[in-house]
Amino acid sequence: MKKIKYIFCIVLCFGAVEATMAQSDNNLSSLEKQLCFIQDTLYTLRQNYPYTNDDYCDSLQNRFSILLEELCTADKGMKYDFRKLRKEERQFTIAVSTDGNMRAFSRNTYFGGSMPLFASYIQYKDKEHTYFFNINNDNDMGVCYDTIYSIEASDKRYYLLSGTSQIATAYPLAVMKAVSFANGELKKEAIFVSGNQQTDYLSISYRFAEDNIDARLFIGNNFTFPRIVYLGKQKEILKPVVAKDKDDTEYVSGEIEVYKLERDKYCLLYTSDAADDLIGV
């Protein structure tokens, strides 16, 4: 009889755990449904912009950020896949770092005029906690971050966020920003050095690209827009060189500015000597 009671207690405990997990999953799913509703509503409002109340749209944008933070905070293992929100028509993308500890979310706010204006957020986990950061600022110009590189150093791990933005069909923008995480905070890392300038942010903008662009400057299957990329094996960053034609129009030439790793026990830097490091195709 005691054995039967013991087995019953075990079954009851497992049932309670499964019920708790199911409830947690349902809560995350419910939050995602609300995010989908907001994104769909913003798209609809954008199609009827002359009749749209700006204050109401702003409240929806703010509500989206609050709900996404709530979901990410509850998603302790950073496993939730946002399957419904990632449907193509909702223009919500997720980039995952190579070490699996950071995710970047970018979504079209639908209120950039002719420019797809993206808002971006970061979810990060360490051994004990999950964190959420809103990384939107004026410098990003609505960038969609779709790639995260991670680099291990002696004292910390660096993350390189790579993304693009585009105004209509012209003037693409490609960026790379460097960050790290410590003591619950996301920190900018000024690891890019060119001449006498040291910064956490690299960018290029251009009107068009030549046909003979190095294939390494493209990410995935997108061979339309050259990017600033990190080559892990070579430990180099490649930045396309932008030139001007006779009409003063900026374009991506066939040259590349190479940022090479300089590492010591105290810091990590990627340094370019533009005069020496330009390479052709």
Side-chain angles (χ1 to χ4, degrees), residues 11-31:
V11 172
L12 187 63
C13 289
F14 274 116
V17 170
E18 290 179 355
T20 301
M21 293 177 64
Q23 184 178 9
S24 176
D25 290 341
N26 288 336
N27 288 340
L28 296 180
S29 178
S30 175
L31 288 170

Side-chain angles (χ1 to χ4, degrees), residues 159-275:
Y159 295 92
L160 307 181
L161 280 65
S162 177
T164 60
S165 179
Q166 187 180 4
I167 302 175
T169 57
Y171 301 108
L173 172 73
V175 307
M176 177 176 284
K177 66 189 304 181
V179 299
S180 66
F181 178 87
N183 302 320
E185 296 183 354
L186 195 69
K187 179 184 176 183
K188 297 179 180 179
E189 292 288 349
I191 63 173
F192 307 126
V193 180
S194 181
N196 61 356
Q197 295 185 336
Q198 185 169 342
T199 180
D200 65 300
Y201 194 88
L202 298 176
S203 67
I204 59 168
S205 62
Y206 52 92
R207 182 64 176 83
F208 66 92
E210 290 189 331
D211 294 332
N212 61 335
I213 301 301
D214 193 316
R216 295 175 300 172
L217 296 176
F218 299 96
I219 294 178
N221 296 320
N222 187 340
F223 294 98
T224 304
F225 303 115
R227 304 279 295 272
I228 302 172
V229 300
Y230 172 70
L231 304 181
K233 291 184 178 180
Q234 293 85 351
K235 295 181 172 56
E236 294 178 344
I237 293 170
L238 305 185
K239 180 184 176 185
V241 173
V242 175
K244 290 184 178 182
D245 64 13
K246 59 183 179 60
D247 298 318
D248 211 32
T249 301
E250 294 181 325
Y251 68 96
V252 175
S253 67
E255 293 185 321
I256 301 172
E257 184 177 359
V258 182
Y259 287 75
K260 297 180 179 179
L261 175 65
E262 293 184 1
R263 188 200 300 258
D264 60 32
K265 61 184 297 185
Y266 299 108
C267 65
L268 176 151
L269 295 173
Y270 283 89
T271 302
S272 166
D273 182 349

Side-chain angles (χ1 to χ4, degrees), residues 4-19:
I4 294 175
K5 288 182 177 180
Y6 180 70
I7 294 174
F8 177 77
C9 288
I10 293 177
V11 172
L12 187 63
C13 289
F14 274 116
V17 170
E18 290 179 355

Side-chain angles (χ1 to χ4, degrees), residues 78 93-106 120-125 133 135 144-151 157-164 175-180 186 219 227-232:
M78 230 167 69
T93 65
I94 302 177
V96 183
S97 63
T98 49
D99 66 355
N101 291 331
M102 178 178 288
R103 297 201 293 187
F105 306 105
S106 295
S120 296
Y121 317 85
I122 283 182
Q123 182 186 26
Y124 180 83
K125 68 174 182 179
F133 305 95
I135 61 170
C144 176
Y145 290 102
D146 57 10
T147 304
I148 307 177
Y149 307 100
S150 60
I151 305 170
R157 182 173 287 272
Y158 297 83
Y159 295 92
L160 307 181
L161 280 65
S162 177
T164 60
V175 307
M176 177 176 284
K177 66 189 304 181
V179 299
S180 66
L186 195 69
I219 294 178
R227 304 279 295 272
I228 302 172
V229 300
Y230 172 70
L231 304 181

